[in-house]
Amino acid sequence: MSENVSRTVREFDHPRWQARLTELCAAHHVPGATLAVLVDGTVHELASGVLHRGTGVEATTDSVFQLGSIAKVYTATLVMKLAESGALDLDAPVTAVLPDFAAADPEATRVITPRMLLSHTSGLTCDFTLDTGRGDDCLERYVEAAKGVALDCRPGTAVSYSGIGYNVLGRIVEVLTGLTWDEALKQHLFAPLGLDHTMTLPEEALRFRAAMGHLGEPGTDPDPAPSWDLMPRSAGPYGRVIASAGDVVRLARMHLDGGTALDGTRVLAPQTVAAMQRREVGVPDKWTVSADGWGLGWTLYDWDGIPGYGHDGASIGQYGYLRVVPDAGVAVALLTNGGGARRVYAALLCELLGELAGVTMPDSFAPAAQPPVVDLAPFVGTYRREGVVITVTERDGAGHLVYEFVDGMKNFSPPLEADLVPVTQTAFAASGAGPSFSEDWMPVVFAELPDGTGCCYIGMRAAPKVA
């Protein structure tokens, strides 16, 4: 279906893109997908496949999917709305709003700011998952429990993707609005933007056709996951928004339109929208989510001089991708429920953004036919952050990696093992990591923190070297 909001200038060939979506999903064993494209003020929505291979329920344009980390864009938008109103100083310590906030390091507690949380430069780690119940106090209890969790690095010294940071932001929203994070989203974003297919709680998703995640070996038809969602309510601000692809694009359209809703309601000021898209930090890992830098909530891209922003997300067997090209007024959201989702994303968005926005997306991450010669010795060792231990060894002159989930993450997945193929002097390609990172090659990037500590970046997360 299409939603007309202005005169269309560029033709969107709906049948051709529908056929292409269906073709790619079949080729890469993606059970179902929905696609929404905003071009010249018109939102086009497409769907293909099934929501659940066990039931055969058809995917439709009004079906809802789990967005995973795309939820961080929603939380960031709420936080920036509070900053715009004067209720929050982005550069004051978090303790000015949350006096009981504490990191594992007392000095970090004193200096961590909301700006650092938004740009993933606080040093707070990512994979601290804790079920603090279904009550309205779940975020308060989570932030309290996270006090002793080790930091990835000192605040303000490096980027390290942080789930804890976004939960702290969610708690800031609650304290300043007097609402739960869920209710604040409804009142301040969903309602003014008319996002009637967007929600945060599983029981709310039951009103709609909801996608089931699927898991399986690459190159095969995946099976329904054992559970629809393993994330607790406390994961909301960093990972639990459920929406249709069309609604995701409607959120992006508000940012494209300088902060106004379709009916003219102002949600954000133009300068606030611009601030969110301004680069706060560069990233050493430019491959995992195609990032060139990070703004205040947005992943930033540079496609041969054409700027863009967006975010990726993953939950149990569901993968989402949002890309926005402001100069062209184009936004694309692709939501999937398993299989080779990243390959569908790579092919489809390359074609869509090329035709509609003149964007040339980078090639998929992979080593060259003749990889460079690299001295592995400096990288051999053990790296650890909360929830993950990474062990790098050298075998017959080649690198080998074991990525093991521990602590609260220990039941999420068995250990991943991969050989390392050099891409640059500090970046390596690891094979067989699965669709959360890439279908064929997972980026593994080694860097040095300002204090001289070595670290290993996987999934945009910095794990310091401990042995």
Side-chain angles (χ1 to χ4, degrees), residues 185-217:
L185 277 180
K186 290 176 183 175
Q187 292 190 24
H188 296 291
L189 281 186
F190 301 169
L193 291 176
L195 305 183
D196 54 9
H197 280 68
T198 305
M199 66 231 63
T200 60
L201 298 174
E203 59 268 28
E204 296 171 329
L206 289 174
R207 297 181 294 134
F208 303 97
R209 300 167 73 98
M212 182 72 181
H214 293 71
L215 302 172
E217 293 298 317

Side-chain angles (χ1 to χ4, degrees), residues 313-332:
S315 63
I316 303 302
Q318 301 196 41
Y319 310 97
Y321 309 91
L322 171 62
R323 297 292 183 269
V324 185
V325 189
D327 290 351
V330 168
V332 180

Side-chain angles (χ1 to χ4, degrees), residues 35-38 249 321-324 330-334 349 352-353:
L35 173 71
V37 181
L38 170 69
V249 161
Y321 309 91
L322 171 62
R323 297 292 183 269
V324 185
V330 168
V332 180
L334 173 68
L349 269 76
L352 276 167
L353 295 185

Side-chain angles (χ1 to χ4, degrees), residues 11-155:
E11 179 184 356
F12 183 85
D13 190 339
H14 196 288
R16 177 164 67 89
W17 290 116
Q18 178 66 65
R20 186 62 173 141
L21 174 64
T22 299
E23 176 188 27
L24 287 170
C25 286
H28 299 300
H29 304 277
V30 173
T34 55
L35 173 71
V37 181
L38 170 69
V39 58
D40 290 312
T42 299
V43 177
H44 306 271
E45 300 182 57
L46 305 86
S48 180
V50 296
L51 298 176
H52 191 303
R53 289 190 63 236
T55 64
V57 174
E58 182 184 8
T60 54
T61 55
D62 60 354
S63 299
V64 297
F65 289 68
Q66 295 174 41
L67 303 186
S69 287
I70 297 175
K72 293 180 175 69
V73 174
Y74 293 75
T75 299
T77 301
L78 269 183
V79 169
M80 293 302 291
K81 189 172 179 65
L82 291 168
E84 175 185 299
S85 73
L88 177 67
D89 183 345
L90 294 181
D91 297 306
V94 168
T95 52
V97 179
L98 304 180
D100 293 335
F101 165 76
D105 174 20
E107 177 58 25
T109 301
R110 289 190 287 270
V111 302
I112 290 175
T113 65
R115 185 181 300 276
M116 292 179 183
L117 300 177
L118 287 164
S119 60
H120 298 287
T121 57
S122 70
L124 295 174
T125 197
C126 190
D127 297 317
F128 176 67
T129 299
L130 183 68
D131 188 347
T132 54
R134 281 298 308 266
D136 287 351
D137 63 348
C138 65
L139 278 182
E140 180 180 10
R141 295 175 62 193
Y142 177 98
V143 173
E144 174 67 26
K147 286 182 176 180
V149 177
L151 278 74
D152 291 346
C153 57
R154 293 203 321 272

Side-chain angles (χ1 to χ4, degrees), residues 125-131 142 149 164 230-232 234 238 316 384-389 404-413:
T125 197
C126 190
D127 297 317
F128 176 67
T129 299
L130 183 68
D131 188 347
Y142 177 98
V149 177
I164 290 181
L230 295 178
M231 289 190 295
S234 60
Y238 70 71
I316 303 302
R384 183 180 176 109
R385 57 181 175 80
E386 179 67 24
V388 170
V389 172
E404 182 181 5
F405 292 99
V406 297
D407 308 321
M409 297 284 289
K410 63 183 178 181
N411 295 322
F412 272 50
S413 171

Side-chain angles (χ1 to χ4, degrees), residues 160-182:
S160 189
Y161 194 71
S162 175
I164 290 181
Y166 269 75
N167 266 11
V168 173
L169 289 169
R171 179 61 185 149
I172 287 173
V173 167
E174 293 187 333
V175 169
L176 293 180
T177 63
L179 305 169
T180 63
W181 170 82
D182 308 82

Side-chain angles (χ1 to χ4, degrees), residues 377-399:
F379 309 129
V380 169
T382 302
Y383 303 77
R384 183 180 176 109
R385 57 181 175 80
E386 179 67 24
V388 170
V389 172
I390 301 165
T391 305
V392 178
T393 57
E394 186 172 353
R395 298 180 180 178
D396 300 324

